[in-house]
Amino acid sequence: MNFVCENLIQIVETNYSIILPTTENWYLQRVDIAICFDLHNQYNVCTYINNLSNCRYPRRNFKFYQSESIYVSGTSTTLKIYNKLVEFKKHDISKFRNTNFNIENYINQIKGFVRFECEIKKKTLKKIYNLKNIPITKITYDKLKDIWKEEFMKLLNFVNDDLKIINDRNEVYNILNKIYSPVKARNLYNFYMNIIFDGIQNTKNKVSKSVYYRNIKMLKELNINLSQKIDIDMIDNRLDFNPFEYKEVV
């Protein structure tokens, strides 16, 4: 963070012939951390975003735009998952008209990119660093990425030790029957199928609070992916994609 700001100061000073305060006198009000992943084609990006339509973050305003984005606003952080190509065409492409920027080449490059962006607000930064004003010299990328990971894990219903997630419903069925009694396995599998067809919130409304949280806990402990909701006519159309282990685009 310090390195980025030092370069920004140098660029502004050079272009405007002014002297700015050193980084020790700069304070952070808000910071966005965004990580991009290559899902190889637009079909995969649209499918993944649409499969997340029923995700929820408690006490947050959740907005879903088909094949385009998910927007979850809050007072501490705001989360966005979006189709990079669609976002570029909608908001940025006009800025590069009549310039030397190779728009066609860039569009070909970002086809299949999905972007996870976490806007971290001052309220959260003050809590983490226990400071009223947060000097940028204290901010590290690793700490920001930890916040990014924690926030998206809440949204996608992941647990902190996920290394491999289970997407395939047959694999879910087999692992539940391997661990639990036939009756318990069947009940958990039916609960899981309700989630991927109807979504987390609708499933939660159908059962008691104790049953809901107990079942969610057991499924999460087995690394079963609960984030992607699917349509009944596209039952096997789920992507084997874990943003917390997948290689990011640099």
Side-chain angles (χ1 to χ4, degrees):
M1 179 65 72
N2 195 46
F3 172 77
V4 172
C5 291
E6 285 176 348
N7 278 276
L8 176 61
I9 290 171
Q10 185 179 359
I11 291 171
V12 173
E13 287 182 337
T14 301
N15 282 275
Y16 293 94
S17 300
I18 59 174
I19 301 298
L20 295 176
T22 60
T23 53
E24 288 77 12
N25 299 297
W26 285 46
Y27 298 92
L28 199 61
Q29 301 297 312
R30 193 195 92 182
V31 61
D32 296 353
I33 174 169
I35 299 178
C36 242
F37 303 99
D38 186 358
L39 300 187
H40 307 300
N41 57 64
Q42 283 301 102
Y43 176 81
N44 285 344
V45 175
C46 295
T47 298
Y48 180 70
I49 290 174
N50 292 339
N51 284 353
L52 300 181
S53 63
N54 274 4
C55 279
R56 291 295 181 271
Y57 192 121
R59 296 178 295 280
R60 293 285 184 96
N61 184 21
F62 182 96
K63 295 181 180 178
F64 165 71
Y65 303 93
Q66 187 170 4
S67 300
E68 183 177 336
S69 64
I70 285 170
Y71 185 89
V72 187
S73 58
T75 59
S76 56
T77 63
T78 291
L79 306 179
K80 307 163 196 173
I81 301 176
Y82 57 88
N83 186 325
K84 180 60 182 172
L85 178 60
V86 172
E87 184 267 345
F88 175 73
K89 287 183 175 180
K90 191 172 183 179
H91 299 289
D92 296 324
I93 195 170
S94 60
K95 301 173 186 177
F96 295 96
R97 302 289 188 195
N98 303 317
T99 71
N100 293 326
F101 185 75
N102 192 328
I103 295 176
E104 183 178 354
N105 183 66
Y106 184 71
I107 285 176
N108 288 331
Q109 182 181 349
I110 64 175
K111 283 179 181 176
F113 282 15
V114 61
R115 186 176 172 102
F116 286 64
E117 183 175 312
C118 178
E119 175 188 314
I120 307 169
K121 302 181 181 181
K122 189 176 182 180
K123 175 182 178 180
T124 300
L125 295 167
K126 286 169 64 176
K127 182 178 179 181
I128 290 172
Y129 289 95
N130 197 28
L131 292 169
K132 183 177 181 181
N133 295 304
I134 306 99
I136 62 168
T137 52
K138 288 187 172 293
I139 305 296
T140 64
Y141 178 78
D142 287 343
K143 174 60 72 175
L144 296 179
K145 191 169 182 180
D146 285 344
I147 299 171
W148 175 95
K149 181 179 180 181
E150 181 179 348
E151 290 297 291
F152 278 111
M153 278 191 162
K154 290 177 183 176
L155 175 64
L156 301 178
N157 287 291
F158 276 65
V159 292
N160 209 26
D161 295 324
D162 280 338
L163 295 178
K164 177 183 182 296
I165 58 174
I166 301 173
N167 280 312
D168 182 77
R169 61 193 175 95
N170 293 320
E171 189 176 355
V172 170
Y173 180 83
N174 290 335
I175 195 169
L176 289 176
N177 277 279
K178 181 178 179 181
I179 294 175
Y180 297 109
S181 68
V183 173
K184 186 65 176 176
R186 183 175 65 253
N187 290 339
L188 276 173
Y189 183 73
N190 289 337
F191 180 82
Y192 162 77
M193 294 300 287
N194 280 331
I195 287 176
I196 66 171
F197 285 140
D198 296 333
I200 286 278
Q201 192 58 49
N202 289 333
T203 303
K204 185 177 182 180
N205 294 338
K206 295 176 181 177
V207 298
S208 69
K209 189 174 181 180
S210 59
V211 169
Y212 171 79
Y213 285 107
R214 183 172 66 248
N215 288 354
I216 287 288
K217 182 175 184 293
M218 287 189 286
L219 292 174
K220 283 185 175 182
E221 286 174 346
L222 297 174
N223 290 346
I224 293 171
N225 183 8
L226 304 177
S227 65
Q228 295 187 54
K229 181 257 184 187
I230 56 175
D231 295 324
I232 195 165
D233 58 344
M234 301 177 71
I235 192 167
D236 293 314
N237 199 23
R238 307 180 87 199
L239 294 181
D240 187 13
F241 168 59
N242 180 347
F244 311 110
E245 295 295 325
Y246 207 82
K247 183 179 179 181
E248 65 181 278
V249 175
V250 179

